[in-house]
mmCIF file of all heavy atoms in Angstrom:
data_model
loop_
_atom_site.group_PDB
_atom_site.id
_atom_site.type_symbol
_atom_site.label_atom_id
_atom_site.label_comp_id
_atom_site.label_asym_id
_atom_site.label_seq_id
_atom_site.Cartn_x
_atom_site.Cartn_y
_atom_site.Cartn_z
ATOM 1 N N MET A 35 -3.163 42.840 -14.029
ATOM 2 C CA MET A 35 -4.340 42.331 -13.308
ATOM 3 C C MET A 35 -4.765 43.270 -12.166
ATOM 4 O O MET A 35 -5.921 43.131 -11.719
ATOM 5 C CB MET A 35 -3.967 40.974 -12.708
ATOM 6 C CG MET A 35 -3.998 39.865 -13.793
ATOM 7 S SD MET A 35 -4.133 38.142 -13.047
ATOM 8 C CE MET A 35 -2.527 38.087 -12.273
ATOM 9 N N ASP A 36 -3.931 44.132 -11.684
ATOM 10 C CA ASP A 36 -4.319 45.051 -10.697
ATOM 11 C C ASP A 36 -5.471 45.982 -11.127
ATOM 12 O O ASP A 36 -6.300 46.540 -10.322
ATOM 13 C CB ASP A 36 -3.112 45.978 -10.260
ATOM 14 C CG ASP A 36 -2.347 45.335 -9.143
ATOM 15 O OD1 ASP A 36 -2.945 44.513 -8.428
ATOM 16 O OD2 ASP A 36 -1.167 45.657 -9.037
ATOM 17 N N LEU A 37 -5.685 46.138 -12.464
ATOM 18 C CA LEU A 37 -6.676 46.935 -13.003
ATOM 19 C C LEU A 37 -8.063 46.257 -12.920
ATOM 20 O O LEU A 37 -9.101 46.994 -13.042
ATOM 21 C CB LEU A 37 -6.452 47.315 -14.422
ATOM 22 C CG LEU A 37 -5.074 48.118 -14.671
ATOM 23 C CD1 LEU A 37 -4.841 48.276 -16.172
ATOM 24 C CD2 LEU A 37 -5.140 49.490 -14.007
ATOM 25 N N LEU A 38 -8.118 44.952 -12.637
ATOM 26 C CA LEU A 38 -9.347 44.267 -12.627
ATOM 27 C C LEU A 38 -10.140 44.641 -11.326
ATOM 28 O O LEU A 38 -11.345 44.614 -11.338
ATOM 29 C CB LEU A 38 -9.122 42.776 -12.686
ATOM 30 C CG LEU A 38 -8.393 42.210 -13.872
ATOM 31 C CD1 LEU A 38 -8.204 40.775 -13.826
ATOM 32 C CD2 LEU A 38 -9.169 42.567 -15.137
ATOM 33 N N PHE A 39 -9.392 44.831 -10.330
ATOM 34 C CA PHE A 39 -10.020 45.227 -9.006
ATOM 35 C C PHE A 39 -9.185 46.262 -8.328
ATOM 36 O O PHE A 39 -8.492 46.038 -7.347
ATOM 37 C CB PHE A 39 -10.161 44.014 -8.040
ATOM 38 C CG PHE A 39 -11.044 44.229 -6.833
ATOM 39 C CD1 PHE A 39 -12.383 44.135 -6.988
ATOM 40 C CD2 PHE A 39 -10.503 44.594 -5.671
ATOM 41 C CE1 PHE A 39 -13.225 44.265 -5.848
ATOM 42 C CE2 PHE A 39 -11.304 44.820 -4.531
ATOM 43 C CZ PHE A 39 -12.667 44.642 -4.666
ATOM 44 N N PRO A 40 -9.285 47.510 -8.815
ATOM 45 C CA PRO A 40 -8.380 48.536 -8.313
ATOM 46 C C PRO A 40 -8.873 49.296 -7.087
ATOM 47 O O PRO A 40 -8.896 50.542 -6.977
ATOM 48 C CB PRO A 40 -8.404 49.511 -9.526
ATOM 49 C CG PRO A 40 -9.741 49.408 -10.136
ATOM 50 C CD PRO A 40 -10.140 48.001 -9.917
ATOM 51 N N GLU A 44 -5.458 46.623 -2.730
ATOM 52 C CA GLU A 44 -5.090 45.227 -2.631
ATOM 53 C C GLU A 44 -4.352 44.885 -3.930
ATOM 54 O O GLU A 44 -4.862 44.414 -4.889
ATOM 55 C CB GLU A 44 -6.334 44.400 -2.490
ATOM 56 C CG GLU A 44 -7.106 44.644 -1.250
ATOM 57 C CD GLU A 44 -6.409 44.163 0.029
ATOM 58 O OE1 GLU A 44 -5.509 43.329 -0.122
ATOM 59 O OE2 GLU A 44 -6.806 44.502 1.071
ATOM 60 N N ILE A 46 -1.179 43.247 -6.324
ATOM 61 C CA ILE A 46 -0.449 41.936 -6.363
ATOM 62 C C ILE A 46 0.981 42.189 -5.867
ATOM 63 O O ILE A 46 1.432 43.329 -5.585
ATOM 64 C CB ILE A 46 -0.318 41.463 -7.890
ATOM 65 C CG1 ILE A 46 0.462 42.463 -8.721
ATOM 66 C CG2 ILE A 46 -1.705 41.204 -8.419
ATOM 67 C CD1 ILE A 46 0.734 41.924 -10.221
ATOM 68 N N VAL A 143 -14.668 40.024 -12.342
ATOM 69 C CA VAL A 143 -13.276 40.170 -11.971
ATOM 70 C C VAL A 143 -12.393 38.969 -12.400
ATOM 71 O O VAL A 143 -11.201 39.135 -12.820
ATOM 72 C CB VAL A 143 -13.083 40.376 -10.427
ATOM 73 C CG1 VAL A 143 -11.669 40.554 -10.018
ATOM 74 C CG2 VAL A 143 -13.876 41.663 -10.070
ATOM 75 N N PHE A 144 -12.992 37.763 -12.291
ATOM 76 C CA PHE A 144 -12.232 36.507 -12.486
ATOM 77 C C PHE A 144 -12.610 35.829 -13.812
ATOM 78 O O PHE A 144 -11.891 35.692 -14.828
ATOM 79 C CB PHE A 144 -12.300 35.637 -11.315
ATOM 80 C CG PHE A 144 -11.999 36.255 -10.075
ATOM 81 C CD1 PHE A 144 -13.001 36.481 -9.122
ATOM 82 C CD2 PHE A 144 -10.680 36.805 -9.769
ATOM 83 C CE1 PHE A 144 -12.686 37.082 -7.886
ATOM 84 C CE2 PHE A 144 -10.423 37.440 -8.608
ATOM 85 C CZ PHE A 144 -11.443 37.592 -7.625
ATOM 86 N N LEU A 150 -5.945 32.841 -16.209
ATOM 87 C CA LEU A 150 -4.863 33.543 -15.422
ATOM 88 C C LEU A 150 -5.498 34.286 -14.191
ATOM 89 O O LEU A 150 -4.976 34.191 -13.119
ATOM 90 C CB LEU A 150 -4.089 34.429 -16.299
ATOM 91 C CG LEU A 150 -2.941 35.223 -15.598
ATOM 92 C CD1 LEU A 150 -1.849 34.303 -15.031
ATOM 93 C CD2 LEU A 150 -2.340 36.227 -16.581
ATOM 94 N N ALA A 151 -6.458 35.131 -14.462
ATOM 95 C CA ALA A 151 -7.122 35.930 -13.458
ATOM 96 C C ALA A 151 -7.736 35.048 -12.404
ATOM 97 O O ALA A 151 -7.685 35.337 -11.219
ATOM 98 C CB ALA A 151 -8.051 36.960 -14.040
ATOM 99 N N THR A 152 -8.307 34.004 -12.816
ATOM 100 C CA THR A 152 -8.992 33.117 -11.945
ATOM 101 C C THR A 152 -8.098 32.372 -11.030
ATOM 102 O O THR A 152 -8.302 32.170 -9.775
ATOM 103 C CB THR A 152 -9.962 32.088 -12.721
ATOM 104 O OG1 THR A 152 -10.860 32.858 -13.487
ATOM 105 C CG2 THR A 152 -10.689 31.174 -11.763
ATOM 106 N N ALA A 153 -6.924 31.862 -11.604
ATOM 107 C CA ALA A 153 -6.049 31.016 -10.829
ATOM 108 C C ALA A 153 -4.889 31.753 -10.156
ATOM 109 O O ALA A 153 -4.213 31.118 -9.349
ATOM 110 C CB ALA A 153 -5.424 29.981 -11.769
ATOM 111 N N ALA A 154 -4.697 33.055 -10.481
ATOM 112 C CA ALA A 154 -3.545 33.667 -9.922
ATOM 113 C C ALA A 154 -3.875 35.065 -9.267
ATOM 114 O O ALA A 154 -2.947 35.635 -8.693
ATOM 115 C CB ALA A 154 -2.529 33.935 -11.019
ATOM 116 N N TYR A 155 -5.166 35.509 -9.257
ATOM 117 C CA TYR A 155 -5.524 36.804 -8.709
ATOM 118 C C TYR A 155 -6.417 36.592 -7.544
ATOM 119 O O TYR A 155 -7.415 35.841 -7.624
ATOM 120 C CB TYR A 155 -6.160 37.560 -9.823
ATOM 121 C CG TYR A 155 -6.375 39.043 -9.504
ATOM 122 C CD1 TYR A 155 -5.380 39.822 -9.010
ATOM 123 C CD2 TYR A 155 -7.594 39.656 -9.830
ATOM 124 C CE1 TYR A 155 -5.575 41.189 -8.702
ATOM 125 C CE2 TYR A 155 -7.882 40.999 -9.534
ATOM 126 C CZ TYR A 155 -6.792 41.797 -9.088
ATOM 127 O OH TYR A 155 -7.023 43.114 -8.759
ATOM 128 N N TYR A 156 -6.199 37.311 -6.497
ATOM 129 C CA TYR A 156 -6.999 37.054 -5.255
ATOM 130 C C TYR A 156 -7.042 38.406 -4.426
ATOM 131 O O TYR A 156 -6.575 38.460 -3.331
ATOM 132 C CB TYR A 156 -6.313 36.021 -4.422
ATOM 133 C CG TYR A 156 -7.341 35.295 -3.413
ATOM 134 C CD1 TYR A 156 -8.120 34.277 -3.868
ATOM 135 C CD2 TYR A 156 -7.388 35.672 -2.128
ATOM 136 C CE1 TYR A 156 -9.009 33.652 -2.988
ATOM 137 C CE2 TYR A 156 -8.248 35.046 -1.232
ATOM 138 C CZ TYR A 156 -8.995 34.029 -1.616
ATOM 139 O OH TYR A 156 -9.847 33.370 -0.834
ATOM 140 N N PRO A 157 -7.699 39.421 -4.987
ATOM 141 C CA PRO A 157 -7.717 40.673 -4.290
ATOM 142 C C PRO A 157 -8.623 40.632 -3.037
ATOM 143 O O PRO A 157 -8.545 41.414 -2.144
ATOM 144 C CB PRO A 157 -8.159 41.714 -5.335
ATOM 145 C CG PRO A 157 -9.007 40.850 -6.247
ATOM 146 C CD PRO A 157 -8.329 39.502 -6.300
ATOM 147 N N ASN A 161 -12.855 34.719 -4.566
ATOM 148 C CA ASN A 161 -12.451 33.898 -5.677
ATOM 149 C C ASN A 161 -12.420 32.437 -5.276
ATOM 150 O O ASN A 161 -11.417 31.927 -4.845
ATOM 151 C CB ASN A 161 -11.090 34.313 -6.179
ATOM 152 C CG ASN A 161 -10.726 33.645 -7.535
ATOM 153 O OD1 ASN A 161 -11.545 32.841 -8.052
ATOM 154 N ND2 ASN A 161 -9.538 33.831 -7.969
ATOM 155 N N LEU A 324 -1.218 31.577 -7.640
ATOM 156 C CA LEU A 324 -1.889 32.581 -6.730
ATOM 157 C C LEU A 324 -0.894 33.115 -5.629
ATOM 158 O O LEU A 324 -0.792 34.270 -5.375
ATOM 159 C CB LEU A 324 -3.119 32.063 -6.184
ATOM 160 C CG LEU A 324 -4.149 32.962 -5.472
ATOM 161 C CD1 LEU A 324 -5.544 32.442 -5.528
ATOM 162 C CD2 LEU A 324 -3.719 33.130 -3.977
ATOM 163 N N VAL A 327 1.805 35.289 -7.402
ATOM 164 C CA VAL A 327 1.346 36.623 -7.980
ATOM 165 C C VAL A 327 0.678 37.480 -6.941
ATOM 166 O O VAL A 327 0.998 38.586 -6.674
ATOM 167 C CB VAL A 327 0.350 36.320 -9.176
ATOM 168 C CG1 VAL A 327 -0.232 37.663 -9.643
ATOM 169 C CG2 VAL A 327 1.085 35.695 -10.256
ATOM 170 N N ALA A 328 -0.345 36.900 -6.212
ATOM 171 C CA ALA A 328 -1.090 37.695 -5.264
ATOM 172 C C ALA A 328 -0.413 37.746 -3.912
ATOM 173 O O ALA A 328 -0.570 38.749 -3.174
ATOM 174 C CB ALA A 328 -2.561 37.125 -5.107
#
Side-chain angles (χ1 to χ4, degrees):
M35 283 196 295
D36 271 336
L37 299 177
L38 300 179
F39 190 85
E44 298 289 347
I46 65 173
V143 179
F144 308 113
L150 177 66
T152 300
Y155 190 47
Y156 202 85
N161 188 6
L324 191 153
V327 174

